[in-house]
Amino acid sequence: MKKQQDLDALKQSLATFNLIAGVDEVGRGPLVGDVVTAAVILDPEKPIFGLTDSKKLSEKKREEFAELIKQNALSWSIGRATPIEIDELNILQATMLAMQRAVEGLTIQPEYVLVDGNRLPKWQYTADAVIKGDALFPQISAASIIAKVARDHEMVALHEQYPQYGFASHKGYPTKAHLEALEQHGPLSCYRQSFKPVKAALMQWHGELQNEVN
């Protein structure tokens, strides 16, 4: 994490910019679905009070904030990388790609970009990475909320298609219940095949199919 004097200096330098985009991701750990990122440029004339790291908010509060952000931000955008891209690139590089897509999707060119975490995508924007930035900068907080709500909605929609996997409750993360469902029902096409539990389940299912053939 940046030292306090570094954070103070960053905040001071940001005072000279009006169009600051915050960027965050959700979904690096799950076994299924896209890694989802968001970029948000808040309107300094329409401050939204109470923004913080999405993980610290209840689902109801996240939903309320997401609507406020969409209504009041100067621009917001969602970027994503698919399970196929995650398997091809690895989760870190796929996350960087999704972040690029989120910023490129903004209708306004940001003057500065703040990214949650400790590394930046390779891009032309003036930017800074801030560990735990989603609790320190409202722009990143807003991005974390937008990304989290979007991905959670996708997991609920997937649950409606495949209720036996329990996606609405675990959101794709490798909980005990999820791993049991994966073992029992096998991986769907939206699973990340390079992730160890999915790879193991695929081998198990291919082995059982082979036994049936023989």
Side-chain angles (χ1 to χ4, degrees):
M1 186 172 174
K2 283 181 182 294
K3 291 176 182 174
Q4 189 58 48
Q5 58 263 40
D6 294 337
L7 277 173
D8 291 342
L10 176 58
K11 286 177 180 177
Q12 204 171 352
S13 68
L14 290 174
T16 60
F17 298 99
N18 288 316
L19 302 174
I20 302 166
V23 179
D24 202 359
E25 56 73 29
V26 67
R28 283 178 63 167
L31 307 177
V32 65
D34 297 346
V35 59
V36 177
T37 61
V40 178
I41 301 177
L42 294 173
D43 187 345
E45 302 297 317
K46 298 178 183 176
I48 302 170
F49 299 102
L51 292 174
T52 188
D53 172 6
S54 64
K55 294 186 289 297
K56 295 179 180 175
L57 298 168
S58 67
E59 184 178 351
K60 183 174 182 286
K61 207 70 185 159
R62 281 196 300 267
E63 294 280 352
E64 290 171 3
F65 271 131
E67 284 311 306
L68 274 174
I69 294 160
K70 290 175 182 179
Q71 288 166 17
N72 292 290
L74 292 174
S75 184
W76 64 274
S77 169
I78 287 174
R80 58 185 68 248
T82 65
I84 290 171
E85 289 173 319
I86 291 166
D87 291 337
E88 286 176 353
L89 298 171
N90 77 42
I91 186 60
L92 173 62
Q93 295 309 319
T95 302
M96 295 295 108
L97 176 62
M99 285 182 172
Q100 281 179 275
R101 288 169 173 167
V103 177
E104 286 163 6
L106 291 167
T107 54
I108 299 171
Q109 177 90 355
E111 298 169 316
Y112 205 101
V113 182
L114 291 172
V115 176
D116 185 59
N118 61 359
R119 65 181 70 217
L120 295 169
K122 292 175 183 173
W123 55 20
Q124 78 279 15
Y125 304 102
T126 305
D128 225 310
V130 185
I131 294 172
K132 300 194 186 301
D134 49 5
L136 296 168
F137 292 93
Q139 299 91 343
I140 305 179
S141 302
S144 80
I145 291 165
I146 291 283
K148 172 74 174 154
V149 168
R151 194 176 192 282
D152 282 358
H153 284 181
E154 288 164 21
M155 288 296 102
V156 170
L158 197 61
H159 179 87
E160 288 169 4
Q161 278 184 279
Y162 307 101
Q164 67 271 33
Y165 289 83
F167 294 121
S169 58
H170 56 65
K171 303 298 191 292
Y173 285 90
T175 63
K176 184 172 182 286
H178 186 190
L179 293 174
E180 286 171 358
L182 179 60
E183 188 179 346
Q184 186 179 350
H185 304 292
L188 302 164
S189 61
C190 50
Y191 273 87
R192 304 170 182 180
Q193 296 187 19
S194 58
F195 280 36
K196 280 183 182 176
V198 183
K199 203 182 284 187
L202 281 166
M203 287 175 68
Q204 176 198 321
W205 274 76
H206 286 160
E208 287 177 6
L209 283 173
Q210 194 64 44
N211 290 338
E212 285 178 20
V213 169
N214 293 337

PDB file of all heavy atoms in Angstrom, residues 83-121:
ATOM      1  N   PRO A  83     -14.154 -16.462 -20.253  1.00  0.00           N
ATOM      2  CA  PRO A  83     -13.415 -17.639 -19.772  1.00  0.00           C
ATOM      3  C   PRO A  83     -12.388 -18.142 -20.789  1.00  0.00           C
ATOM      4  O   PRO A  83     -11.296 -18.576 -20.394  1.00  0.00           O
ATOM      5  CB  PRO A  83     -14.521 -18.666 -19.541  1.00  0.00           C
ATOM      6  CG  PRO A  83     -15.724 -17.851 -19.193  1.00  0.00           C
ATOM      7  CD  PRO A  83     -15.617 -16.637 -20.070  1.00  0.00           C
ATOM      8  N   ILE A  84     -12.712 -18.067 -22.080  1.00  0.00           N
ATOM      9  CA  ILE A  84     -11.753 -18.500 -23.114  1.00  0.00           C
ATOM     10  C   ILE A  84     -10.514 -17.616 -23.078  1.00  0.00           C
ATOM     11  O   ILE A  84      -9.375 -18.104 -23.136  1.00  0.00           O
ATOM     12  CB  ILE A  84     -12.409 -18.486 -24.511  1.00  0.00           C
ATOM     13  CG1 ILE A  84     -13.454 -19.599 -24.610  1.00  0.00           C
ATOM     14  CG2 ILE A  84     -11.359 -18.638 -25.616  1.00  0.00           C
ATOM     15  CD1 ILE A  84     -14.309 -19.560 -25.863  1.00  0.00           C
ATOM     16  N   GLU A  85     -10.716 -16.293 -22.958  1.00  0.00           N
ATOM     17  CA  GLU A  85      -9.572 -15.371 -22.886  1.00  0.00           C
ATOM     18  C   GLU A  85      -8.779 -15.587 -21.597  1.00  0.00           C
ATOM     19  O   GLU A  85      -7.541 -15.532 -21.616  1.00  0.00           O
ATOM     20  CB  GLU A  85     -10.067 -13.922 -22.975  1.00  0.00           C
ATOM     21  CG  GLU A  85     -10.572 -13.569 -24.361  1.00  0.00           C
ATOM     22  CD  GLU A  85     -11.225 -12.197 -24.440  1.00  0.00           C
ATOM     23  OE1 GLU A  85     -11.970 -11.830 -23.501  1.00  0.00           O
ATOM     24  OE2 GLU A  85     -11.011 -11.501 -25.443  1.00  0.00           O
ATOM     25  N   ILE A  86      -9.478 -15.865 -20.511  1.00  0.00           N
ATOM     26  CA  ILE A  86      -8.799 -16.152 -19.233  1.00  0.00           C
ATOM     27  C   ILE A  86      -7.920 -17.394 -19.379  1.00  0.00           C
ATOM     28  O   ILE A  86      -6.765 -17.414 -18.938  1.00  0.00           O
ATOM     29  CB  ILE A  86      -9.828 -16.346 -18.104  1.00  0.00           C
ATOM     30  CG1 ILE A  86     -10.527 -15.010 -17.784  1.00  0.00           C
ATOM     31  CG2 ILE A  86      -9.162 -16.905 -16.836  1.00  0.00           C
ATOM     32  CD1 ILE A  86     -11.777 -15.140 -16.936  1.00  0.00           C
ATOM     33  N   ASP A  87      -8.451 -18.434 -20.027  1.00  0.00           N
ATOM     34  CA  ASP A  87      -7.685 -19.671 -20.221  1.00  0.00           C
ATOM     35  C   ASP A  87      -6.488 -19.454 -21.142  1.00  0.00           C
ATOM     36  O   ASP A  87      -5.421 -20.039 -20.943  1.00  0.00           O
ATOM     37  CB  ASP A  87      -8.589 -20.771 -20.791  1.00  0.00           C
ATOM     38  CG  ASP A  87      -9.624 -21.252 -19.783  1.00  0.00           C
ATOM     39  OD1 ASP A  87      -9.395 -21.080 -18.574  1.00  0.00           O
ATOM     40  OD2 ASP A  87     -10.667 -21.787 -20.215  1.00  0.00           O
ATOM     41  N   GLU A  88      -6.656 -18.596 -22.140  1.00  0.00           N
ATOM     42  CA  GLU A  88      -5.568 -18.347 -23.103  1.00  0.00           C
ATOM     43  C   GLU A  88      -4.474 -17.446 -22.525  1.00  0.00           C
ATOM     44  O   GLU A  88      -3.287 -17.676 -22.753  1.00  0.00           O
ATOM     45  CB  GLU A  88      -6.133 -17.700 -24.378  1.00  0.00           C
ATOM     46  CG  GLU A  88      -6.907 -18.670 -25.260  1.00  0.00           C
ATOM     47  CD  GLU A  88      -7.534 -17.972 -26.459  1.00  0.00           C
ATOM     48  OE1 GLU A  88      -7.477 -16.725 -26.532  1.00  0.00           O
ATOM     49  OE2 GLU A  88      -8.087 -18.679 -27.320  1.00  0.00           O
ATOM     50  N   LEU A  89      -4.883 -16.414 -21.786  1.00  0.00           N
ATOM     51  CA  LEU A  89      -3.939 -15.375 -21.360  1.00  0.00           C
ATOM     52  C   LEU A  89      -3.412 -15.573 -19.942  1.00  0.00           C
ATOM     53  O   LEU A  89      -2.311 -15.136 -19.636  1.00  0.00           O
ATOM     54  CB  LEU A  89      -4.626 -14.003 -21.412  1.00  0.00           C
ATOM     55  CG  LEU A  89      -5.125 -13.517 -22.771  1.00  0.00           C
ATOM     56  CD1 LEU A  89      -5.973 -12.265 -22.597  1.00  0.00           C
ATOM     57  CD2 LEU A  89      -3.952 -13.236 -23.693  1.00  0.00           C
ATOM     58  N   ASN A  90      -4.187 -16.160 -19.067  1.00  0.00           N
ATOM     59  CA  ASN A  90      -4.082 -16.278 -17.609  1.00  0.00           C
ATOM     60  C   ASN A  90      -4.930 -15.164 -16.996  1.00  0.00           C
ATOM     61  O   ASN A  90      -5.230 -14.156 -17.640  1.00  0.00           O
ATOM     62  CB  ASN A  90      -2.643 -16.345 -17.059  1.00  0.00           C
ATOM     63  CG  ASN A  90      -1.910 -15.006 -17.009  1.00  0.00           C
ATOM     64  OD1 ASN A  90      -2.472 -13.976 -16.643  1.00  0.00           O
ATOM     65  ND2 ASN A  90      -0.636 -15.029 -17.389  1.00  0.00           N
ATOM     66  N   ILE A  91      -5.320 -15.338 -15.744  1.00  0.00           N
ATOM     67  CA  ILE A  91      -6.306 -14.450 -15.124  1.00  0.00           C
ATOM     68  C   ILE A  91      -5.778 -13.025 -14.963  1.00  0.00           C
ATOM     69  O   ILE A  91      -6.524 -12.059 -15.130  1.00  0.00           O
ATOM     70  CB  ILE A  91      -6.814 -15.026 -13.771  1.00  0.00           C
ATOM     71  CG1 ILE A  91      -7.961 -14.167 -13.208  1.00  0.00           C
ATOM     72  CG2 ILE A  91      -5.697 -15.188 -12.779  1.00  0.00           C
ATOM     73  CD1 ILE A  91      -9.183 -14.052 -14.062  1.00  0.00           C
ATOM     74  N   LEU A  92      -4.478 -12.875 -14.671  1.00  0.00           N
ATOM     75  CA  LEU A  92      -3.928 -11.526 -14.502  1.00  0.00           C
ATOM     76  C   LEU A  92      -3.994 -10.735 -15.807  1.00  0.00           C
ATOM     77  O   LEU A  92      -4.493  -9.606 -15.840  1.00  0.00           O
ATOM     78  CB  LEU A  92      -2.485 -11.605 -13.992  1.00  0.00           C
ATOM     79  CG  LEU A  92      -1.757 -10.259 -13.937  1.00  0.00           C
ATOM     80  CD1 LEU A  92      -2.447  -9.296 -12.967  1.00  0.00           C
ATOM     81  CD2 LEU A  92      -0.301 -10.438 -13.548  1.00  0.00           C
ATOM     82  N   GLN A  93      -3.489 -11.339 -16.885  1.00  0.00           N
ATOM     83  CA  GLN A  93      -3.473 -10.632 -18.171  1.00  0.00           C
ATOM     84  C   GLN A  93      -4.886 -10.398 -18.700  1.00  0.00           C
ATOM     85  O   GLN A  93      -5.166  -9.368 -19.332  1.00  0.00           O
ATOM     86  CB  GLN A  93      -2.635 -11.416 -19.199  1.00  0.00           C
ATOM     87  CG  GLN A  93      -1.164 -11.509 -18.859  1.00  0.00           C
ATOM     88  CD  GLN A  93      -0.536 -10.158 -18.533  1.00  0.00           C
ATOM     89  OE1 GLN A  93      -0.815  -9.153 -19.186  1.00  0.00           O
ATOM     90  NE2 GLN A  93       0.292 -10.125 -17.509  1.00  0.00           N
ATOM     91  N   ALA A  94      -5.785 -11.341 -18.438  1.00  0.00           N
ATOM     92  CA  ALA A  94      -7.178 -11.166 -18.857  1.00  0.00           C
ATOM     93  C   ALA A  94      -7.815  -9.997 -18.095  1.00  0.00           C
ATOM     94  O   ALA A  94      -8.603  -9.226 -18.658  1.00  0.00           O
ATOM     95  CB  ALA A  94      -7.974 -12.441 -18.623  1.00  0.00           C
ATOM     96  N   THR A  95      -7.457  -9.850 -16.814  1.00  0.00           N
ATOM     97  CA  THR A  95      -7.962  -8.726 -16.014  1.00  0.00           C
ATOM     98  C   THR A  95      -7.448  -7.404 -16.569  1.00  0.00           C
ATOM     99  O   THR A  95      -8.195  -6.424 -16.676  1.00  0.00           O
ATOM    100  CB  THR A  95      -7.548  -8.879 -14.537  1.00  0.00           C
ATOM    101  OG1 THR A  95      -8.053 -10.127 -14.047  1.00  0.00           O
ATOM    102  CG2 THR A  95      -8.089  -7.751 -13.688  1.00  0.00           C
ATOM    103  N   MET A  96      -6.171  -7.362 -16.928  1.00  0.00           N
ATOM    104  CA  MET A  96      -5.603  -6.141 -17.518  1.00  0.00           C
ATOM    105  C   MET A  96      -6.333  -5.785 -18.824  1.00  0.00           C
ATOM    106  O   MET A  96      -6.627  -4.617 -19.093  1.00  0.00           O
ATOM    107  CB  MET A  96      -4.105  -6.330 -17.801  1.00  0.00           C
ATOM    108  CG  MET A  96      -3.234  -6.528 -16.571  1.00  0.00           C
ATOM    109  SD  MET A  96      -3.156  -5.105 -15.458  1.00  0.00           S
ATOM    110  CE  MET A  96      -4.142  -5.699 -14.078  1.00  0.00           C
ATOM    111  N   LEU A  97      -6.620  -6.809 -19.629  1.00  0.00           N
ATOM    112  CA  LEU A  97      -7.340  -6.591 -20.887  1.00  0.00           C
ATOM    113  C   LEU A  97      -8.743  -6.044 -20.623  1.00  0.00           C
ATOM    114  O   LEU A  97      -9.201  -5.104 -21.281  1.00  0.00           O
ATOM    115  CB  LEU A  97      -7.429  -7.918 -21.658  1.00  0.00           C
ATOM    116  CG  LEU A  97      -8.233  -7.912 -22.965  1.00  0.00           C
ATOM    117  CD1 LEU A  97      -7.618  -6.960 -23.985  1.00  0.00           C
ATOM    118  CD2 LEU A  97      -8.313  -9.327 -23.545  1.00  0.00           C
ATOM    119  N   ALA A  98      -9.420  -6.611 -19.636  1.00  0.00           N
ATOM    120  CA  ALA A  98     -10.771  -6.155 -19.293  1.00  0.00           C
ATOM    121  C   ALA A  98     -10.752  -4.707 -18.795  1.00  0.00           C
ATOM    122  O   ALA A  98     -11.660  -3.924 -19.094  1.00  0.00           O
ATOM    123  CB  ALA A  98     -11.379  -7.074 -18.237  1.00  0.00           C
ATOM    124  N   MET A  99      -9.710  -4.338 -18.047  1.00  0.00           N
ATOM    125  CA  MET A  99      -9.573  -2.957 -17.575  1.00  0.00           C
ATOM    126  C   MET A  99      -9.377  -1.999 -18.747  1.00  0.00           C
ATOM    127  O   MET A  99      -9.975  -0.914 -18.793  1.00  0.00           O
ATOM    128  CB  MET A  99      -8.407  -2.838 -16.591  1.00  0.00           C
ATOM    129  CG  MET A  99      -8.695  -3.411 -15.216  1.00  0.00           C
ATOM    130  SD  MET A  99      -7.291  -3.194 -14.089  1.00  0.00           S
ATOM    131  CE  MET A  99      -8.022  -3.720 -12.528  1.00  0.00           C
ATOM    132  N   GLN A 100      -8.542  -2.401 -19.700  1.00  0.00           N
ATOM    133  CA  GLN A 100      -8.358  -1.587 -20.912  1.00  0.00           C
ATOM    134  C   GLN A 100      -9.695  -1.362 -21.613  1.00  0.00           C
ATOM    135  O   GLN A 100     -10.018  -0.249 -22.025  1.00  0.00           O
ATOM    136  CB  GLN A 100      -7.402  -2.287 -21.878  1.00  0.00           C
ATOM    137  CG  GLN A 100      -5.942  -2.139 -21.536  1.00  0.00           C
ATOM    138  CD  GLN A 100      -5.091  -2.885 -22.550  1.00  0.00           C
ATOM    139  OE1 GLN A 100      -4.877  -4.080 -22.424  1.00  0.00           O
ATOM    140  NE2 GLN A 100      -4.619  -2.187 -23.564  1.00  0.00           N
ATOM    141  N   ARG A 101     -10.453  -2.420 -21.746  1.00  0.00           N
ATOM    142  CA  ARG A 101     -11.748  -2.338 -22.436  1.00  0.00           C
ATOM    143  C   ARG A 101     -12.715  -1.412 -21.700  1.00  0.00           C
ATOM    144  O   ARG A 101     -13.475  -0.677 -22.330  1.00  0.00           O
ATOM    145  CB  ARG A 101     -12.346  -3.746 -22.586  1.00  0.00           C
ATOM    146  CG  ARG A 101     -11.622  -4.584 -23.612  1.00  0.00           C
ATOM    147  CD  ARG A 101     -12.040  -6.042 -23.572  1.00  0.00           C
ATOM    148  NE  ARG A 101     -11.451  -6.792 -24.674  1.00  0.00           N
ATOM    149  CZ  ARG A 101     -11.438  -8.110 -24.767  1.00  0.00           C
ATOM    150  NH1 ARG A 101     -11.997  -8.850 -23.818  1.00  0.00           N
ATOM    151  NH2 ARG A 101     -10.881  -8.707 -25.805  1.00  0.00           N
ATOM    152  N   ALA A 102     -12.669  -1.456 -20.374  1.00  0.00           N
ATOM    153  CA  ALA A 102     -13.564  -0.592 -19.592  1.00  0.00           C
ATOM    154  C   ALA A 102     -13.237   0.876 -19.826  1.00  0.00           C
ATOM    155  O   ALA A 102     -14.134   1.697 -20.062  1.00  0.00           O
ATOM    156  CB  ALA A 102     -13.461  -0.929 -18.109  1.00  0.00           C
ATOM    157  N   VAL A 103     -11.954   1.222 -19.774  1.00  0.00           N
ATOM    158  CA  VAL A 103     -11.561   2.625 -19.953  1.00  0.00           C
ATOM    159  C   VAL A 103     -11.825   3.075 -21.396  1.00  0.00           C
ATOM    160  O   VAL A 103     -12.309   4.186 -21.638  1.00  0.00           O
ATOM    161  CB  VAL A 103     -10.081   2.844 -19.556  1.00  0.00           C
ATOM    162  CG1 VAL A 103      -9.660   4.292 -19.812  1.00  0.00           C
ATOM    163  CG2 VAL A 103      -9.880   2.508 -18.083  1.00  0.00           C
ATOM    164  N   GLU A 104     -11.531   2.188 -22.349  1.00  0.00           N
ATOM    165  CA  GLU A 104     -11.785   2.528 -23.756  1.00  0.00           C
ATOM    166  C   GLU A 104     -13.278   2.696 -24.040  1.00  0.00           C
ATOM    167  O   GLU A 104     -13.663   3.380 -24.996  1.00  0.00           O
ATOM    168  CB  GLU A 104     -11.183   1.457 -24.670  1.00  0.00           C
ATOM    169  CG  GLU A 104      -9.663   1.546 -24.762  1.00  0.00           C
ATOM    170  CD  GLU A 104      -9.022   0.278 -25.311  1.00  0.00           C
ATOM    171  OE1 GLU A 104      -9.770  -0.640 -25.730  1.00  0.00           O
ATOM    172  OE2 GLU A 104      -7.780   0.207 -25.311  1.00  0.00           O
ATOM    173  N   GLY A 105     -14.132   2.104 -23.208  1.00  0.00           N
ATOM    174  CA  GLY A 105     -15.574   2.214 -23.408  1.00  0.00           C
ATOM    175  C   GLY A 105     -16.180   3.502 -22.860  1.00  0.00           C
ATOM    176  O   GLY A 105     -17.368   3.778 -23.087  1.00  0.00           O
ATOM    177  N   LEU A 106     -15.390   4.287 -22.138  1.00  0.00           N
ATOM    178  CA  LEU A 106     -15.896   5.554 -21.609  1.00  0.00           C
ATOM    179  C   LEU A 106     -16.201   6.522 -22.750  1.00  0.00           C
ATOM    180  O   LEU A 106     -15.454   6.586 -23.731  1.00  0.00           O
ATOM    181  CB  LEU A 106     -14.872   6.187 -20.659  1.00  0.00           C
ATOM    182  CG  LEU A 106     -14.637   5.473 -19.326  1.00  0.00           C
ATOM    183  CD1 LEU A 106     -13.391   6.018 -18.636  1.00  0.00           C
ATOM    184  CD2 LEU A 106     -15.850   5.594 -18.412  1.00  0.00           C
ATOM    185  N   THR A 107     -17.270   7.276 -22.604  1.00  0.00           N
ATOM    186  CA  THR A 107     -17.640   8.246 -23.652  1.00  0.00           C
ATOM    187  C   THR A 107     -16.852   9.542 -23.520  1.00  0.00           C
ATOM    188  O   THR A 107     -16.891  10.394 -24.404  1.00  0.00           O
ATOM    189  CB  THR A 107     -19.145   8.564 -23.580  1.00  0.00           C
ATOM    190  OG1 THR A 107     -19.469   8.995 -22.252  1.00  0.00           O
ATOM    191  CG2 THR A 107     -19.977   7.339 -23.928  1.00  0.00           C
ATOM    192  N   ILE A 108     -16.148   9.685 -22.394  1.00  0.00           N
ATOM    193  CA  ILE A 108     -15.299  10.856 -22.154  1.00  0.00           C
ATOM    194  C   ILE A 108     -13.875  10.365 -21.914  1.00  0.00           C
ATOM    195  O   ILE A 108     -13.664   9.409 -21.177  1.00  0.00           O
ATOM    196  CB  ILE A 108     -15.777  11.642 -20.907  1.00  0.00           C
ATOM    197  CG1 ILE A 108     -17.201  12.157 -21.116  1.00  0.00           C
ATOM    198  CG2 ILE A 108     -14.841  12.798 -20.587  1.00  0.00           C
ATOM    199  CD1 ILE A 108     -17.828  12.740 -19.865  1.00  0.00           C
ATOM    200  N   GLN A 109     -12.915  11.020 -22.547  1.00  0.00           N
ATOM    201  CA  GLN A 109     -11.507  10.646 -22.353  1.00  0.00           C
ATOM    202  C   GLN A 109     -11.044  11.125 -20.973  1.00  0.00           C
ATOM    203  O   GLN A 109     -11.094  12.311 -20.673  1.00  0.00           O
ATOM    204  CB  GLN A 109     -10.654  11.311 -23.446  1.00  0.00           C
ATOM    205  CG  GLN A 109      -9.168  11.053 -23.322  1.00  0.00           C
ATOM    206  CD  GLN A 109      -8.714   9.815 -24.067  1.00  0.00           C
ATOM    207  OE1 GLN A 109      -9.513   9.081 -24.617  1.00  0.00           O
ATOM    208  NE2 GLN A 109      -7.426   9.570 -24.055  1.00  0.00           N
ATOM    209  N   PRO A 110     -10.600  10.224 -20.100  1.00  0.00           N
ATOM    210  CA  PRO A 110     -10.140  10.668 -18.777  1.00  0.00           C
ATOM    211  C   PRO A 110      -8.788  11.379 -18.864  1.00  0.00           C
ATOM    212  O   PRO A 110      -7.958  11.067 -19.716  1.00  0.00           O
ATOM    213  CB  PRO A 110     -10.023   9.360 -17.993  1.00  0.00           C
ATOM    214  CG  PRO A 110      -9.796   8.310 -19.016  1.00  0.00           C
ATOM    215  CD  PRO A 110     -10.513   8.760 -20.256  1.00  0.00           C
ATOM    216  N   GLU A 111      -8.589  12.315 -17.938  1.00  0.00           N
ATOM    217  CA  GLU A 111      -7.284  12.995 -17.844  1.00  0.00           C
ATOM    218  C   GLU A 111      -6.324  12.169 -16.996  1.00  0.00           C
ATOM    219  O   GLU A 111      -5.107  12.275 -17.146  1.00  0.00           O
ATOM    220  CB  GLU A 111      -7.462  14.375 -17.203  1.00  0.00           C
ATOM    221  CG  GLU A 111      -8.340  15.318 -17.990  1.00  0.00           C
ATOM    222  CD  GLU A 111      -8.692  16.569 -17.194  1.00  0.00           C
ATOM    223  OE1 GLU A 111      -9.025  16.469 -15.994  1.00  0.00           O
ATOM    224  OE2 GLU A 111      -8.630  17.648 -17.799  1.00  0.00           O
ATOM    225  N   TYR A 112      -6.893  11.372 -16.095  1.00  0.00           N
ATOM    226  CA  TYR A 112      -6.088  10.570 -15.177  1.00  0.00           C
ATOM    227  C   TYR A 112      -6.887   9.324 -14.831  1.00  0.00           C
ATOM    228  O   TYR A 112      -8.111   9.384 -14.722  1.00  0.00           O
ATOM    229  CB  TYR A 112      -5.789  11.366 -13.896  1.00  0.00           C
ATOM    230  CG  TYR A 112      -4.536  10.945 -13.168  1.00  0.00           C
ATOM    231  CD1 TYR A 112      -3.360  11.669 -13.297  1.00  0.00           C
ATOM    232  CD2 TYR A 112      -4.524   9.814 -12.352  1.00  0.00           C
ATOM    233  CE1 TYR A 112      -2.197  11.295 -12.623  1.00  0.00           C
ATOM    234  CE2 TYR A 112      -3.375   9.425 -11.681  1.00  0.00           C
ATOM    235  CZ  TYR A 112      -2.213  10.169 -11.820  1.00  0.00           C
ATOM    236  OH  TYR A 112      -1.066   9.785 -11.173  1.00  0.00           O
ATOM    237  N   VAL A 113      -6.195   8.195 -14.645  1.00  0.00           N
ATOM    238  CA  VAL A 113      -6.880   6.946 -14.299  1.00  0.00           C
ATOM    239  C   VAL A 113      -6.296   6.383 -13.009  1.00  0.00           C
ATOM    240  O   VAL A 113      -5.078   6.260 -12.870  1.00  0.00           O
ATOM    241  CB  VAL A 113      -6.752   5.898 -15.431  1.00  0.00           C
ATOM    242  CG1 VAL A 113      -7.518   4.632 -15.064  1.00  0.00           C
ATOM    243  CG2 VAL A 113      -7.263   6.453 -16.757  1.00  0.00           C
ATOM    244  N   LEU A 114      -7.180   6.057 -12.083  1.00  0.00           N
ATOM    245  CA  LEU A 114      -6.792   5.405 -10.829  1.00  0.00           C
ATOM    246  C   LEU A 114      -7.261   3.961 -10.869  1.00  0.00           C
ATOM    247  O   LEU A 114      -8.449   3.700 -11.077  1.00  0.00           O
ATOM    248  CB  LEU A 114      -7.444   6.114  -9.639  1.00  0.00           C
ATOM    249  CG  LEU A 114      -6.955   7.527  -9.306  1.00  0.00           C
ATOM    250  CD1 LEU A 114      -7.851   8.141  -8.242  1.00  0.00           C
ATOM    251  CD2 LEU A 114      -5.505   7.504  -8.827  1.00  0.00           C
ATOM    252  N   VAL A 115      -6.351   3.033 -10.673  1.00  0.00           N
ATOM    253  CA  VAL A 115      -6.665   1.603 -10.751  1.00  0.00           C
ATOM    254  C   VAL A 115      -6.467   0.964  -9.384  1.00  0.00           C
ATOM    255  O   VAL A 115      -5.457   1.198  -8.715  1.00  0.00           O
ATOM    256  CB  VAL A 115      -5.755   0.903 -11.787  1.00  0.00           C
ATOM    257  CG1 VAL A 115      -6.012  -0.599 -11.803  1.00  0.00           C
ATOM    258  CG2 VAL A 115      -5.980   1.481 -13.179  1.00  0.00           C
ATOM    259  N   ASP A 116      -7.436   0.165  -8.971  1.00  0.00           N
ATOM    260  CA  ASP A 116      -7.296  -0.568  -7.719  1.00  0.00           C
ATOM    261  C   ASP A 116      -6.287  -1.696  -7.912  1.00  0.00           C
ATOM    262  O   ASP A 116      -6.362  -2.447  -8.890  1.00  0.00           O
ATOM    263  CB  ASP A 116      -8.649  -1.155  -7.291  1.00  0.00           C
ATOM    264  CG  ASP A 116      -8.561  -1.811  -5.926  1.00  0.00           C
ATOM    265  OD1 ASP A 116      -8.196  -1.109  -4.969  1.00  0.00           O
ATOM    266  OD2 ASP A 116      -8.842  -3.012  -5.820  1.00  0.00           O
ATOM    267  N   GLY A 117      -5.331  -1.813  -6.990  1.00  0.00           N
ATOM    268  CA  GLY A 117      -4.362  -2.905  -7.092  1.00  0.00           C
ATOM    269  C   GLY A 117      -2.935  -2.402  -7.129  1.00  0.00           C
ATOM    270  O   GLY A 117      -2.646  -1.262  -6.743  1.00  0.00           O
ATOM    271  N   ASN A 118      -2.044  -3.241  -7.614  1.00  0.00           N
ATOM    272  CA  ASN A 118      -0.621  -2.887  -7.599  1.00  0.00           C
ATOM    273  C   ASN A 118       0.014  -2.873  -8.982  1.00  0.00           C
ATOM    274  O   ASN A 118       1.229  -2.801  -9.111  1.00  0.00           O
ATOM    275  CB  ASN A 118       0.155  -3.846  -6.683  1.00  0.00           C
ATOM    276  CG  ASN A 118       0.072  -5.291  -7.148  1.00  0.00           C
ATOM    277  OD1 ASN A 118      -0.586  -5.602  -8.149  1.00  0.00           O
ATOM    278  ND2 ASN A 118       0.725  -6.182  -6.435  1.00  0.00           N
ATOM    279  N   ARG A 119      -0.814  -2.945 -10.030  1.00  0.00           N
ATOM    280  CA  ARG A 119      -0.226  -2.869 -11.381  1.00  0.00           C
ATOM    281  C   ARG A 119      -1.216  -2.250 -12.354  1.00  0.00           C
ATOM    282  O   ARG A 119      -2.425  -2.255 -12.137  1.00  0.00           O
ATOM    283  CB  ARG A 119       0.247  -4.233 -11.873  1.00  0.00           C
ATOM    284  CG  ARG A 119      -0.842  -5.260 -12.090  1.00  0.00           C
ATOM    285  CD  ARG A 119      -0.232  -6.566 -12.561  1.00  0.00           C
ATOM    286  NE  ARG A 119       0.527  -7.223 -11.528  1.00  0.00           N
ATOM    287  CZ  ARG A 119       1.656  -7.905 -11.727  1.00  0.00           C
ATOM    288  NH1 ARG A 119       2.142  -8.018 -12.938  1.00  0.00           N
ATOM    289  NH2 ARG A 119       2.282  -8.488 -10.728  1.00  0.00           N
ATOM    290  N   LEU A 120      -0.655  -1.736 -13.438  1.00  0.00           N
ATOM    291  CA  LEU A 120      -1.457  -1.055 -14.454  1.00  0.00           C
ATOM    292  C   LEU A 120      -1.414  -1.824 -15.770  1.00  0.00           C
ATOM    293  O   LEU A 120      -0.396  -2.445 -16.099  1.00  0.00           O
ATOM    294  CB  LEU A 120      -0.895   0.349 -14.713  1.00  0.00           C
ATOM    295  CG  LEU A 120      -0.969   1.349 -13.555  1.00  0.00           C
ATOM    296  CD1 LEU A 120      -0.127   2.578 -13.885  1.00  0.00           C
ATOM    297  CD2 LEU A 120      -2.413   1.752 -13.299  1.00  0.00           C
ATOM    298  N   PRO A 121      -2.502  -1.776 -16.530  1.00  0.00           N
ATOM    299  CA  PRO A 121      -2.448  -2.304 -17.895  1.00  0.00           C
ATOM    300  C   PRO A 121      -1.457  -1.477 -18.737  1.00  0.00           C
ATOM    301  O   PRO A 121      -1.109  -0.346 -18.356  1.00  0.00           O
ATOM    302  CB  PRO A 121      -3.879  -2.105 -18.414  1.00  0.00           C
ATOM    303  CG  PRO A 121      -4.724  -1.920 -17.193  1.00  0.00           C
ATOM    304  CD  PRO A 121      -3.840  -1.255 -16.191  1.00  0.00           C
TER     305      PRO A 121
END
